[in-house]
Amino acid sequence: MARAAVSGGLKLRRTWRPAVLVERRQETPSACSLVLEVPGWPGHLAGQHLDIRLTAPDGYQAARSYSLAAPAEGEQVDITVQGVPEGEVSSYLVGDARAGDSVEVRGPVGGWFVWKPEQSGPVLLVAGGSGVVPLMAMIRTRDGINGAPFRLIYSVRGPEDRIYHDELRRRAAEDGELNVTFIYTRTAPEDEPRPAGRISLDDLVSYGWPAETEPTCYVCGPTGFVETVSDLLIFLGHDSTRIRTERFGPSGP
Ligand SMILES: Cc1cc2nc3c(=O)[nH]c(=O)nc-3n(C[C@H](O)[C@H](O)[C@H](O)COP(=O)(O)OP(=O)(O)OC[C@H]3O[C@@H](n4cnc5c(N)ncnc54)[C@H](O)[C@@H]3O)c2cc1C
């Protein structure tokens, strides 16, 4: 009986569902958030993603994965897409998708790279580029539920690439248990004391948690970024079983 219920749930998550784009918000010059209405959406956990499938008039189809950016609101889900140069699906979603467009989605997908409100211990979030999306879902889910202390270290090329910048600044100003640090790899703002450069051991020491506090660490971004940060965290003494990673490499066929 229980097995039938579980396999029924899995089948539902693997089934493509029709969805309609109901809202789009420009986040940066090259990234936008999309709100999708998905009839029958079963709900999701912070950190999970969905797959989205586009179908061209000639029947050609392309599917990609996108992290869920916020807790579900009824049957509405949020994703944030960073345009990739020459990217087949991201270019369409960022450049052409409009409210009223129909797509298909399936999910939610993923069970390890998740944060649940009952986890009350400290959390370190380390994002590279659009890797901030599932980490933002954790920050938004945590809001008002429990006071687990969160520290976010968010690596971007320059100020114009900061997704959710205003919301992150506002949340950090209002919430003493949320700390947000931007790391600029190419161009730092004039008033930024840290010179532009890739994330380093010093950054993780200065803006992360000491290993003795045993934080759960979530690291998300391009594959090379995730591997570098994971190695640095292990070097600093963090237990590998508490380091959870998600790589945003190419997900198409
Ligand atoms: C679990 C998971 C969650 C993801 N969540 C998000 C998300 O929340 N937001 C988001 O914007 N993306 C996310 N991605 C990445 C997304 O699935 C696509 O890979 C990305 O949008 C590029 O797809 P595309 O069709 O535009 O590019 P493609 O046409 O597939 O590729 C075009 C070119 O870009 C390169 N490329 C492909 N993907 C990337 C990438 N991610 N970074 C840099 N170069 C790339 C390819 O190698 C190729 O050269 C996620 C990926 C995974 C696996």
Side-chain angles (χ1 to χ4, degrees):
M1 187 76 162
R3 181 181 292 187
V6 169
S7 80
L10 279 176
K11 199 174 163 199
L12 271 180
R13 288 197 289 273
R14 287 186 195 136
T15 304
W16 289 104
R17 301 165 189 273
V20 177
L21 173 59
V22 291
E23 188 188 330
R24 60 171 285 145
R25 297 186 302 275
Q26 205 66 34
E27 298 284 357
T28 71
S30 57
C32 72
S33 288
L34 305 174
V35 182
L36 300 163
E37 176 90 27
V38 191
W41 183 255
H44 57 263
L45 298 170
Q48 289 187 302
H49 64 274
L50 54 65
D51 294 332
I52 188 164
R53 183 165 72 178
L54 308 178
T55 305
D58 66 0
Y60 172 77
Q61 294 187 318
R64 299 289 185 271
S65 301
Y66 292 99
S67 296
L68 292 146
E73 285 201 21
E75 296 185 329
Q76 291 199 347
V77 298
D78 277 45
I79 59 172
T80 302
V81 182
Q82 170 70 54
V84 170
E86 315 289 324
E88 188 177 27
V89 171
S90 65
S91 298
Y92 171 79
L93 293 174
V94 172
D96 301 314
R98 293 287 174 265
D101 285 358
S102 296
V103 297
E104 291 172 287
V105 303
R106 68 178 175 194
V109 185
W112 170 242
F113 193 80
V114 296
W115 179 81
K116 296 180 184 163
E118 56 266 32
Q119 290 174 235
S120 56
V123 169
L124 174 62
L125 308 172
V126 189
S130 57
V132 73
V133 179
L135 309 186
M136 190 63 175
M138 296 175 191
I139 291 171
R140 287 169 167 165
T141 300
R142 166 189 175 278
D143 187 38
I145 290 184
N146 81 12
F150 273 32
R151 291 185 181 171
L152 168 67
I153 305 176
Y154 179 14
S155 169
V156 288
R157 288 182 191 168
E160 68 285 0
D161 298 310
R162 298 173 299 197
I163 301 173
Y164 315 129
H165 172 258
D166 293 352
E167 182 180 342
L168 284 170
R169 286 274 190 238
R170 176 182 58 74
R171 285 179 179 274
E174 291 171 353
D175 181 347
E177 296 289 359
L178 171 65
N179 194 279
V180 174
T181 304
F182 292 93
I183 300 287
Y184 301 94
T185 59
R186 293 196 187 165
T187 319
E190 278 179 10
D191 58 352
E192 169 64 40
R194 179 191 181 280
R198 289 187 176 206
I199 194 165
S200 67
L201 204 61
D202 284 352
D203 295 321
L204 293 173
V205 171
S206 301
Y207 310 119
W209 294 101
E212 310 80 79
T213 60
E214 302 191 343
T216 307
C217 305
Y218 296 87
V219 186
C220 186
T223 303
F225 175 87
V226 169
E227 285 170 4
T228 300
V229 172
S230 303
D231 288 348
L232 293 174
L233 289 171
I234 286 169
F235 181 82
L236 287 171
H238 291 269
D239 187 334
S240 59
T241 60
R242 287 195 309 274
I243 303 174
R244 304 185 187 197
T245 59
E246 183 98 286
R247 292 163 172 79
F248 276 13
S251 59

